[in-house]
Short mmCIF file of all heavy atoms in Angstrom, two decimals:
data_model
loop_
_atom_site.label_atom_id
_atom_site.label_comp_id
_atom_site.label_asym_id
_atom_site.label_seq_id
_atom_site.Cartn_x
_atom_site.Cartn_y
_atom_site.Cartn_z
N MET A 1 0.84 -1.22 0.00
CA MET A 1 0.00 0.00 0.00
C MET A 1 0.86 1.26 0.00
O MET A 1 1.76 1.41 0.81
CB MET A 1 -0.89 0.01 1.26
CG MET A 1 -2.20 -0.74 1.10
SD MET A 1 -3.34 0.08 -0.01
CE MET A 1 -4.15 1.20 1.15
N ASP A 2 0.57 2.12 -0.89
CA ASP A 2 1.27 3.39 -0.95
C ASP A 2 0.57 4.40 -0.03
O ASP A 2 -0.59 4.70 -0.23
CB ASP A 2 1.25 3.88 -2.41
CG ASP A 2 1.96 5.22 -2.57
OD1 ASP A 2 2.56 5.71 -1.60
OD2 ASP A 2 1.88 5.78 -3.65
N PRO A 3 1.28 4.89 0.99
CA PRO A 3 0.62 5.83 1.93
C PRO A 3 0.18 7.12 1.26
O PRO A 3 -0.71 7.80 1.76
CB PRO A 3 1.69 6.09 2.99
CG PRO A 3 2.98 5.64 2.40
CD PRO A 3 2.65 4.60 1.37
N ARG A 4 0.76 7.46 0.14
CA ARG A 4 0.36 8.69 -0.55
C ARG A 4 -1.09 8.63 -1.02
O ARG A 4 -1.73 9.63 -1.22
CB ARG A 4 1.25 8.92 -1.77
CG ARG A 4 2.68 9.22 -1.41
CD ARG A 4 2.95 10.71 -1.43
NE ARG A 4 4.09 11.01 -0.60
CZ ARG A 4 4.46 12.24 -0.26
NH1 ARG A 4 3.78 13.26 -0.68
NH2 ARG A 4 5.49 12.46 0.49
N ARG A 5 -1.58 7.42 -1.24
CA ARG A 5 -2.97 7.29 -1.69
C ARG A 5 -3.94 7.81 -0.65
O ARG A 5 -4.99 8.33 -0.97
CB ARG A 5 -3.29 5.83 -1.98
CG ARG A 5 -2.73 5.44 -3.32
CD ARG A 5 -3.00 4.00 -3.66
NE ARG A 5 -2.21 3.68 -4.83
CZ ARG A 5 -2.70 3.05 -5.89
NH1 ARG A 5 -3.92 2.64 -5.90
NH2 ARG A 5 -1.94 2.84 -6.93
N GLN A 6 -3.59 7.65 0.62
CA GLN A 6 -4.47 8.13 1.68
C GLN A 6 -4.51 9.64 1.68
O GLN A 6 -5.51 10.23 2.03
CB GLN A 6 -3.98 7.62 3.02
CG GLN A 6 -4.08 6.10 3.09
CD GLN A 6 -4.08 5.62 4.53
OE1 GLN A 6 -3.38 6.17 5.35
NE2 GLN A 6 -4.86 4.61 4.81
N PHE A 7 -3.41 10.27 1.30
CA PHE A 7 -3.37 11.73 1.22
C PHE A 7 -4.42 12.24 0.25
O PHE A 7 -5.09 13.22 0.50
CB PHE A 7 -2.01 12.19 0.71
CG PHE A 7 -0.95 12.25 1.78
CD1 PHE A 7 -1.08 11.55 2.94
CD2 PHE A 7 0.17 13.04 1.59
CE1 PHE A 7 -0.12 11.60 3.92
CE2 PHE A 7 1.14 13.09 2.56
CZ PHE A 7 1.00 12.38 3.73
N GLU A 8 -4.55 11.57 -0.86
CA GLU A 8 -5.44 12.05 -1.90
C GLU A 8 -6.89 12.09 -1.43
O GLU A 8 -7.65 12.92 -1.86
CB GLU A 8 -5.29 11.18 -3.15
CG GLU A 8 -4.03 11.57 -3.90
CD GLU A 8 -3.58 10.53 -4.90
OE1 GLU A 8 -4.37 9.65 -5.24
OE2 GLU A 8 -2.44 10.62 -5.33
N ARG A 9 -7.22 11.18 -0.53
CA ARG A 9 -8.58 11.18 -0.01
C ARG A 9 -8.86 12.43 0.82
O ARG A 9 -9.99 12.85 0.93
CB ARG A 9 -8.83 9.94 0.84
CG ARG A 9 -9.42 8.82 0.01
CD ARG A 9 -9.72 7.65 0.89
NE ARG A 9 -8.97 6.50 0.44
CZ ARG A 9 -8.63 5.48 1.21
NH1 ARG A 9 -8.95 5.49 2.48
NH2 ARG A 9 -7.98 4.49 0.72
N LEU A 10 -7.82 12.98 1.43
CA LEU A 10 -8.01 14.17 2.25
C LEU A 10 -8.37 15.39 1.43
O LEU A 10 -8.83 16.38 1.95
CB LEU A 10 -6.73 14.48 3.04
CG LEU A 10 -6.35 13.42 4.08
CD1 LEU A 10 -5.00 13.75 4.66
CD2 LEU A 10 -7.39 13.35 5.18
N GLU A 11 -8.19 15.31 0.14
CA GLU A 11 -8.49 16.46 -0.71
C GLU A 11 -9.97 16.83 -0.69
O GLU A 11 -10.34 17.93 -1.03
CB GLU A 11 -8.05 16.20 -2.15
CG GLU A 11 -6.67 16.73 -2.39
CD GLU A 11 -6.22 16.50 -3.80
OE1 GLU A 11 -5.80 15.39 -4.13
OE2 GLU A 11 -6.32 17.44 -4.57
N ALA A 12 -10.80 15.88 -0.32
CA ALA A 12 -12.24 16.14 -0.28
C ALA A 12 -12.65 16.90 0.98
O ALA A 12 -13.80 17.26 1.11
CB ALA A 12 -13.00 14.83 -0.36
N SER A 13 -11.69 17.15 1.89
CA SER A 13 -12.07 17.77 3.15
C SER A 13 -12.49 19.22 2.97
O SER A 13 -12.10 19.89 2.02
CB SER A 13 -10.90 17.69 4.14
OG SER A 13 -9.81 18.42 3.67
N MET A 14 -13.30 19.69 3.90
CA MET A 14 -13.82 21.04 3.84
C MET A 14 -13.23 21.85 4.99
O MET A 14 -13.03 21.33 6.08
CB MET A 14 -15.34 21.03 4.00
CG MET A 14 -16.03 20.03 3.10
SD MET A 14 -16.91 20.80 1.76
CE MET A 14 -18.17 21.70 2.60
N LEU A 15 -12.98 23.11 4.72
CA LEU A 15 -12.50 24.01 5.77
C LEU A 15 -13.30 25.30 5.71
O LEU A 15 -13.81 25.67 4.65
CB LEU A 15 -11.03 24.34 5.56
CG LEU A 15 -10.01 23.29 5.94
CD1 LEU A 15 -8.61 23.79 5.61
CD2 LEU A 15 -10.10 22.96 7.42
N LEU A 16 -13.38 25.96 6.85
CA LEU A 16 -14.07 27.24 6.91
C LEU A 16 -13.22 28.29 6.21
O LEU A 16 -12.08 28.53 6.58
CB LEU A 16 -14.31 27.63 8.37
CG LEU A 16 -15.08 28.94 8.56
CD1 LEU A 16 -16.52 28.77 8.11
CD2 LEU A 16 -15.03 29.36 10.00
N CYS A 17 -13.79 28.89 5.18
CA CYS A 17 -13.08 29.93 4.46
C CYS A 17 -13.33 31.28 5.11
O CYS A 17 -14.49 31.64 5.33
CB CYS A 17 -13.55 29.96 3.01
SG CYS A 17 -12.85 31.35 2.08
N PRO A 18 -12.28 32.02 5.46
CA PRO A 18 -12.47 33.30 6.13
C PRO A 18 -13.14 34.34 5.24
O PRO A 18 -13.73 35.30 5.72
CB PRO A 18 -11.05 33.73 6.51
CG PRO A 18 -10.14 32.97 5.61
CD PRO A 18 -10.87 31.68 5.27
N ARG A 19 -13.06 34.15 3.95
CA ARG A 19 -13.64 35.12 3.03
C ARG A 19 -15.09 34.77 2.67
O ARG A 19 -15.96 35.63 2.70
CB ARG A 19 -12.79 35.17 1.76
CG ARG A 19 -13.16 36.31 0.86
CD ARG A 19 -11.96 36.70 0.03
NE ARG A 19 -12.35 37.37 -1.18
CZ ARG A 19 -11.53 37.64 -2.18
NH1 ARG A 19 -10.27 37.23 -2.11
NH2 ARG A 19 -11.94 38.27 -3.23
N CYS A 20 -15.33 33.52 2.36
CA CYS A 20 -16.70 33.07 2.05
C CYS A 20 -17.55 32.94 3.31
O CYS A 20 -18.76 32.96 3.26
CB CYS A 20 -16.68 31.74 1.33
SG CYS A 20 -15.73 31.72 -0.20
N ARG A 21 -16.89 32.74 4.45
CA ARG A 21 -17.54 32.56 5.75
C ARG A 21 -18.40 31.31 5.81
O ARG A 21 -19.35 31.23 6.59
CB ARG A 21 -18.38 33.79 6.13
CG ARG A 21 -17.49 34.97 6.39
CD ARG A 21 -18.28 36.24 6.49
NE ARG A 21 -17.37 37.34 6.76
CZ ARG A 21 -17.35 38.01 7.91
NH1 ARG A 21 -18.17 37.71 8.88
NH2 ARG A 21 -16.50 38.99 8.08
N VAL A 22 -18.11 30.39 4.96
CA VAL A 22 -18.74 29.06 5.04
C VAL A 22 -17.66 28.01 4.79
O VAL A 22 -16.58 28.34 4.29
CB VAL A 22 -19.88 28.89 3.99
CG1 VAL A 22 -21.06 29.76 4.33
CG2 VAL A 22 -19.38 29.14 2.59
N ALA A 23 -17.97 26.78 5.12
CA ALA A 23 -17.04 25.70 4.85
C ALA A 23 -17.01 25.42 3.36
O ALA A 23 -18.06 25.30 2.72
CB ALA A 23 -17.43 24.45 5.63
N ARG A 24 -15.82 25.35 2.82
CA ARG A 24 -15.66 25.11 1.40
C ARG A 24 -14.72 23.93 1.18
O ARG A 24 -13.83 23.70 2.00
CB ARG A 24 -15.00 26.32 0.73
CG ARG A 24 -15.83 27.56 0.71
CD ARG A 24 -16.87 27.47 -0.34
NE ARG A 24 -17.43 28.80 -0.62
CZ ARG A 24 -18.56 28.98 -1.29
NH1 ARG A 24 -19.23 27.95 -1.74
NH2 ARG A 24 -19.00 30.19 -1.51
N PRO A 25 -14.89 23.23 0.07
CA PRO A 25 -13.86 22.25 -0.28
C PRO A 25 -12.55 22.99 -0.53
O PRO A 25 -12.57 24.10 -1.06
CB PRO A 25 -14.37 21.61 -1.57
CG PRO A 25 -15.74 22.14 -1.80
CD PRO A 25 -15.94 23.33 -0.92
N VAL A 26 -11.46 22.40 -0.15
CA VAL A 26 -10.18 23.07 -0.30
C VAL A 26 -9.26 22.32 -1.25
O VAL A 26 -9.37 21.11 -1.44
CB VAL A 26 -9.47 23.26 1.06
CG1 VAL A 26 -10.19 24.30 1.89
CG2 VAL A 26 -9.32 21.95 1.80
N ARG A 27 -8.40 23.08 -1.86
CA ARG A 27 -7.35 22.56 -2.72
C ARG A 27 -6.06 22.56 -1.91
O ARG A 27 -5.78 23.52 -1.19
CB ARG A 27 -7.22 23.51 -3.91
CG ARG A 27 -6.54 22.97 -5.11
CD ARG A 27 -7.04 23.70 -6.37
NE ARG A 27 -7.37 25.11 -6.16
CZ ARG A 27 -6.53 26.10 -6.43
NH1 ARG A 27 -5.33 25.87 -6.88
NH2 ARG A 27 -6.91 27.35 -6.26
N ARG A 28 -5.31 21.48 -2.00
CA ARG A 28 -4.07 21.41 -1.24
C ARG A 28 -2.92 21.87 -2.12
O ARG A 28 -2.81 21.47 -3.26
CB ARG A 28 -3.82 19.98 -0.77
CG ARG A 28 -4.80 19.50 0.24
CD ARG A 28 -4.94 18.01 0.25
NE ARG A 28 -3.80 17.33 0.86
CZ ARG A 28 -2.85 16.71 0.17
NH1 ARG A 28 -2.89 16.65 -1.14
NH2 ARG A 28 -1.86 16.14 0.78
N ARG A 29 -2.08 22.72 -1.55
CA ARG A 29 -0.88 23.15 -2.27
C ARG A 29 0.32 22.87 -1.38
O ARG A 29 0.37 23.33 -0.24
CB ARG A 29 -0.97 24.65 -2.57
CG ARG A 29 0.19 25.11 -3.43
CD ARG A 29 0.06 26.57 -3.77
NE ARG A 29 0.14 27.39 -2.57
CZ ARG A 29 0.14 28.71 -2.56
NH1 ARG A 29 0.02 29.36 -3.69
NH2 ARG A 29 0.21 29.39 -1.45
N LEU A 30 1.25 22.12 -1.93
CA LEU A 30 2.44 21.77 -1.17
C LEU A 30 3.34 22.99 -1.06
O LEU A 30 3.74 23.58 -2.07
CB LEU A 30 3.16 20.63 -1.87
CG LEU A 30 4.41 20.09 -1.18
CD1 LEU A 30 4.06 19.44 0.16
CD2 LEU A 30 5.11 19.09 -2.08
N LEU A 31 3.62 23.38 0.18
CA LEU A 31 4.49 24.54 0.40
C LEU A 31 5.94 24.12 0.59
O LEU A 31 6.84 24.70 0.00
CB LEU A 31 4.03 25.31 1.65
CG LEU A 31 2.77 26.14 1.57
CD1 LEU A 31 2.53 26.81 2.90
CD2 LEU A 31 2.88 27.18 0.48
N LEU A 32 6.12 23.15 1.45
CA LEU A 32 7.47 22.76 1.84
C LEU A 32 7.47 21.29 2.20
O LEU A 32 6.48 20.78 2.71
CB LEU A 32 7.88 23.50 3.12
CG LEU A 32 8.52 24.88 3.03
CD1 LEU A 32 8.69 25.41 4.45
CD2 LEU A 32 9.86 24.79 2.36
N VAL A 33 8.56 20.64 1.92
CA VAL A 33 8.73 19.28 2.41
C VAL A 33 9.72 19.34 3.57
O VAL A 33 10.87 19.72 3.40
CB VAL A 33 9.25 18.34 1.30
CG1 VAL A 33 9.47 16.94 1.85
CG2 VAL A 33 8.26 18.30 0.14
N LEU A 34 9.22 19.04 4.75
CA LEU A 34 10.03 19.10 5.97
C LEU A 34 10.31 17.70 6.46
O LEU A 34 9.58 16.76 6.11
CB LEU A 34 9.25 19.87 7.05
CG LEU A 34 8.90 21.31 6.70
CD1 LEU A 34 7.95 21.88 7.75
CD2 LEU A 34 10.15 22.16 6.63
N PRO A 35 11.33 17.56 7.30
CA PRO A 35 11.64 16.21 7.84
C PRO A 35 10.45 15.63 8.60
O PRO A 35 10.24 14.43 8.60
CB PRO A 35 12.82 16.45 8.78
CG PRO A 35 13.38 17.77 8.39
CD PRO A 35 12.28 18.57 7.75
N GLU A 36 9.66 16.49 9.25
CA GLU A 36 8.54 15.98 10.06
C GLU A 36 7.25 15.82 9.27
O GLU A 36 6.25 15.37 9.79
CB GLU A 36 8.31 16.87 11.28
CG GLU A 36 7.95 18.30 10.96
CD GLU A 36 9.16 19.22 10.95
OE1 GLU A 36 10.23 18.78 10.50
OE2 GLU A 36 9.03 20.38 11.37
N GLY A 37 7.27 16.22 8.01
CA GLY A 37 6.07 16.05 7.19
C GLY A 37 6.00 17.08 6.09
O GLY A 37 6.89 17.90 5.94
N ASP A 38 4.92 17.01 5.32
CA ASP A 38 4.74 17.97 4.23
C ASP A 38 3.92 19.15 4.73
O ASP A 38 2.85 18.99 5.29
CB ASP A 38 3.98 17.31 3.07
CG ASP A 38 4.80 16.21 2.42
OD1 ASP A 38 6.02 16.17 2.63
OD2 ASP A 38 4.21 15.41 1.69
N LYS A 39 4.44 20.34 4.48
CA LYS A 39 3.70 21.54 4.85
C LYS A 39 2.75 21.87 3.70
O LYS A 39 3.16 22.08 2.56
CB LYS A 39 4.68 22.68 5.09
CG LYS A 39 4.02 23.99 5.32
CD LYS A 39 4.28 24.48 6.71
CE LYS A 39 3.78 25.92 6.80
NZ LYS A 39 3.68 26.40 8.12
N ILE A 40 1.46 21.91 4.01
CA ILE A 40 0.42 22.07 2.99
C ILE A 40 -0.35 23.36 3.24
O ILE A 40 -0.71 23.66 4.38
CB ILE A 40 -0.57 20.88 3.03
CG1 ILE A 40 0.15 19.54 2.95
CG2 ILE A 40 -1.62 21.01 1.94
CD1 ILE A 40 0.71 19.19 1.61
N ASP A 41 -0.60 24.08 2.19
CA ASP A 41 -1.46 25.25 2.25
C ASP A 41 -2.82 24.84 1.69
O ASP A 41 -2.89 24.18 0.66
CB ASP A 41 -0.83 26.35 1.39
CG ASP A 41 -1.44 27.71 1.68
OD1 ASP A 41 -2.05 27.89 2.74
OD2 ASP A 41 -1.26 28.61 0.83
N TYR A 42 -3.90 25.21 2.38
CA TYR A 42 -5.24 24.83 1.93
C TYR A 42 -5.94 26.05 1.36
O TYR A 42 -6.14 27.04 2.05
CB TYR A 42 -6.04 24.27 3.11
CG TYR A 42 -5.42 23.03 3.69
CD1 TYR A 42 -4.58 23.10 4.79
CD2 TYR A 42 -5.64 21.79 3.12
CE1 TYR A 42 -3.99 21.96 5.31
CE2 TYR A 42 -5.06 20.64 3.63
CZ TYR A 42 -4.23 20.74 4.73
OH TYR A 42 -3.64 19.62 5.24
N LEU A 43 -6.28 25.95 0.09
CA LEU A 43 -6.89 27.08 -0.60
C LEU A 43 -8.35 26.80 -0.89
O LEU A 43 -8.71 25.72 -1.37
CB LEU A 43 -6.15 27.34 -1.92
CG LEU A 43 -4.66 27.63 -1.82
CD1 LEU A 43 -4.06 27.73 -3.21
CD2 LEU A 43 -4.39 28.90 -1.05
N CYS A 44 -9.19 27.79 -0.64
CA CYS A 44 -10.61 27.68 -0.95
C CYS A 44 -10.79 27.49 -2.46
O CYS A 44 -10.20 28.22 -3.26
CB CYS A 44 -11.30 28.96 -0.48
SG CYS A 44 -13.01 29.10 -0.99
N THR A 45 -11.61 26.53 -2.85
CA THR A 45 -11.81 26.29 -4.28
C THR A 45 -12.69 27.36 -4.92
O THR A 45 -12.70 27.51 -6.13
CB THR A 45 -12.44 24.91 -4.52
OG1 THR A 45 -13.62 24.80 -3.75
CG2 THR A 45 -11.48 23.80 -4.16
N ALA A 46 -13.44 28.09 -4.09
CA ALA A 46 -14.33 29.11 -4.64
C ALA A 46 -13.62 30.43 -4.90
O ALA A 46 -13.79 31.04 -5.95
CB ALA A 46 -15.52 29.32 -3.71
N CYS A 47 -12.82 30.89 -3.92
CA CYS A 47 -12.22 32.22 -4.06
C CYS A 47 -10.70 32.20 -4.04
O CYS A 47 -10.07 33.21 -4.29
CB CYS A 47 -12.75 33.15 -2.97
SG CYS A 47 -12.18 32.72 -1.33
N GLY A 48 -10.09 31.06 -3.69
CA GLY A 48 -8.64 30.96 -3.73
C GLY A 48 -7.95 31.47 -2.49
O GLY A 48 -6.73 31.47 -2.43
N THR A 49 -8.72 31.92 -1.50
CA THR A 49 -8.12 32.39 -0.25
C THR A 49 -7.57 31.21 0.55
O THR A 49 -8.16 30.14 0.55
CB THR A 49 -9.18 33.13 0.60
OG1 THR A 49 -9.62 34.26 -0.14
CG2 THR A 49 -8.63 33.58 1.93
N SER A 50 -6.45 31.45 1.22
CA SER A 50 -5.89 30.41 2.06
C SER A 50 -6.78 30.20 3.29
O SER A 50 -7.09 31.15 4.00
CB SER A 50 -4.48 30.80 2.50
OG SER A 50 -3.98 29.86 3.41
N CYS A 51 -7.20 28.98 3.51
CA CYS A 51 -8.05 28.64 4.67
C CYS A 51 -7.21 28.12 5.82
O CYS A 51 -7.74 27.71 6.84
CB CYS A 51 -9.09 27.60 4.28
SG CYS A 51 -10.16 28.11 2.96
N GLY A 52 -5.92 28.12 5.67
CA GLY A 52 -5.06 27.64 6.73
C GLY A 52 -3.97 26.76 6.16
O GLY A 52 -3.96 26.47 4.96
N ASP A 53 -3.07 26.36 7.02
CA ASP A 53 -2.05 25.43 6.57
C ASP A 53 -1.87 24.35 7.61
O ASP A 53 -2.39 24.45 8.72
CB ASP A 53 -0.73 26.14 6.25
CG ASP A 53 -0.19 26.93 7.43
OD1 ASP A 53 -0.36 26.51 8.58
OD2 ASP A 53 0.42 27.98 7.17
N GLY A 54 -1.21 23.34 7.23
CA GLY A 54 -1.03 22.23 8.16
C GLY A 54 0.13 21.37 7.73
O GLY A 54 0.68 21.52 6.64
N LEU A 55 0.48 20.49 8.64
CA LEU A 55 1.56 19.56 8.38
C LEU A 55 0.94 18.18 8.21
O LEU A 55 0.18 17.74 9.07
CB LEU A 55 2.50 19.59 9.57
CG LEU A 55 3.97 19.31 9.33
CD1 LEU A 55 4.55 20.28 8.31
CD2 LEU A 55 4.71 19.42 10.65
N GLU A 56 1.23 17.55 7.10
CA GLU A 56 0.72 16.21 6.88
C GLU A 56 1.87 15.23 6.97
O GLU A 56 2.81 15.32 6.18
CB GLU A 56 0.01 16.12 5.54
CG GLU A 56 -1.24 16.97 5.52
CD GLU A 56 -2.06 16.79 4.27
OE1 GLU A 56 -1.65 16.00 3.40
OE2 GLU A 56 -3.10 17.46 4.14
N ARG A 57 1.79 14.38 7.95
CA ARG A 57 2.89 13.45 8.18
C ARG A 57 2.76 12.23 7.29
O ARG A 57 1.67 11.75 7.06
CB ARG A 57 2.89 13.01 9.63
CG ARG A 57 3.19 14.16 10.55
CD ARG A 57 3.09 13.69 11.99
NE ARG A 57 3.34 14.84 12.86
CZ ARG A 57 4.35 14.88 13.73
NH1 ARG A 57 5.16 13.87 13.85
NH2 ARG A 57 4.52 15.94 14.47
N PRO A 58 3.90 11.74 6.83
CA PRO A 58 3.87 10.54 5.99
C PRO A 58 3.21 9.32 6.64
O PRO A 58 2.44 8.66 5.98
CB PRO A 58 5.35 10.29 5.66
CG PRO A 58 6.01 11.61 5.86
CD PRO A 58 5.21 12.32 6.93
N PRO A 59 3.45 9.01 7.94
CA PRO A 59 2.78 7.83 8.48
C PRO A 59 1.29 8.08 8.64
O PRO A 59 0.89 9.15 9.10
CB PRO A 59 3.42 7.63 9.87
CG PRO A 59 4.62 8.50 9.89
CD PRO A 59 4.36 9.60 8.91
N PRO A 60 0.45 7.14 8.23
CA PRO A 60 -0.99 7.34 8.34
C PRO A 60 -1.45 7.28 9.78
O PRO A 60 -0.75 6.75 10.64
CB PRO A 60 -1.57 6.17 7.55
CG PRO A 60 -0.51 5.12 7.58
CD PRO A 60 0.79 5.85 7.67
N GLY A 61 -2.61 7.83 10.07
CA GLY A 61 -3.19 7.71 11.41
C GLY A 61 -3.45 9.05 12.07
O GLY A 61 -4.45 9.21 12.75
N THR A 62 -2.58 10.05 11.84
CA THR A 62 -2.77 11.30 12.55
C THR A 62 -3.57 12.31 11.74
O THR A 62 -4.26 13.14 12.29
CB THR A 62 -1.42 11.93 12.92
OG1 THR A 62 -0.58 11.92 11.76
CG2 THR A 62 -0.72 11.16 14.03
N GLY A 63 -3.47 12.25 10.42
CA GLY A 63 -4.19 13.21 9.59
C GLY A 63 -3.53 14.57 9.65
O GLY A 63 -2.53 14.75 10.34
N PRO A 64 -4.09 15.54 8.93
CA PRO A 64 -3.51 16.88 8.95
C PRO A 64 -3.79 17.54 10.28
O PRO A 64 -4.82 17.29 10.89
CB PRO A 64 -4.23 17.60 7.82
CG PRO A 64 -5.53 16.87 7.69
CD PRO A 64 -5.27 15.45 8.11
N PHE A 65 -2.88 18.37 10.73
CA PHE A 65 -3.28 19.18 11.87
C PHE A 65 -2.95 20.64 11.66
O PHE A 65 -2.09 21.02 10.90
CB PHE A 65 -2.86 18.65 13.22
CG PHE A 65 -1.48 18.14 13.40
CD1 PHE A 65 -0.71 18.61 14.45
CD2 PHE A 65 -0.95 17.14 12.58
CE1 PHE A 65 0.55 18.10 14.68
CE2 PHE A 65 0.30 16.65 12.81
CZ PHE A 65 1.06 17.15 13.87
N PHE A 66 -3.71 21.46 12.37
CA PHE A 66 -3.73 22.87 12.09
C PHE A 66 -3.28 23.65 13.31
O PHE A 66 -3.48 23.22 14.42
CB PHE A 66 -5.15 23.30 11.72
CG PHE A 66 -5.68 22.52 10.56
CD1 PHE A 66 -6.50 21.44 10.76
CD2 PHE A 66 -5.30 22.86 9.28
CE1 PHE A 66 -6.97 20.70 9.69
CE2 PHE A 66 -5.78 22.13 8.21
CZ PHE A 66 -6.59 21.05 8.41
N ARG A 67 -2.72 24.81 13.05
CA ARG A 67 -2.28 25.64 14.16
C ARG A 67 -3.44 26.47 14.66
O ARG A 67 -4.28 26.87 13.90
CB ARG A 67 -1.16 26.57 13.70
CG ARG A 67 0.10 25.78 13.47
CD ARG A 67 1.22 26.70 13.07
NE ARG A 67 0.85 27.44 11.86
CZ ARG A 67 1.74 28.17 11.17
NH1 ARG A 67 2.95 28.27 11.57
NH2 ARG A 67 1.38 28.79 10.07
ZN1 ZN B 1 -13.57 31.20 -0.15
#
């Protein structure tokens, strides 16, 4: 099993967009590859505003987390 496949499923997640003021599906943009995980920027699919960023760790189980 390729763990990257699980990442792709997270693309369907919704986040609260500060501009739309509703939860929107987000697009993931890789910002940085760090030793502790991939730094991802989440962009609103409707307006393109950043809805936050998070670190996605390669081992499955923890999911993305947000500051
Ligand atoms: Zn938006």
Side-chain angles (χ1 to χ4, degrees):
M1 273 291 274
D2 180 6
R4 293 262 157 190
R5 281 179 190 227
Q6 295 200 322
F7 278 20
E8 282 163 15
R9 267 184 240 155
L10 295 173
E11 266 181 280
S13 64
M14 311 253 295
L15 283 178
L16 182 69
C17 174
R19 190 154 157 191
C20 303
R21 293 168 179 248
V22 291
R24 293 283 196 195
V26 289
R27 199 153 34 96
R28 293 155 74 257
R29 185 177 64 176
L30 183 65
L31 286 181
L32 273 175
V33 178
L34 299 170
E36 61 265 37
D38 294 343
K39 174 115 170 166
I40 307 287
D41 195 19
Y42 299 96
L43 302 175
C44 172
T45 53
C47 68
T49 298
S50 175
C51 301
D53 57 34
L55 210 57
E56 293 187 0
R57 295 176 182 241
T62 49
F65 45 128
F66 304 98
R67 289 183 302 191

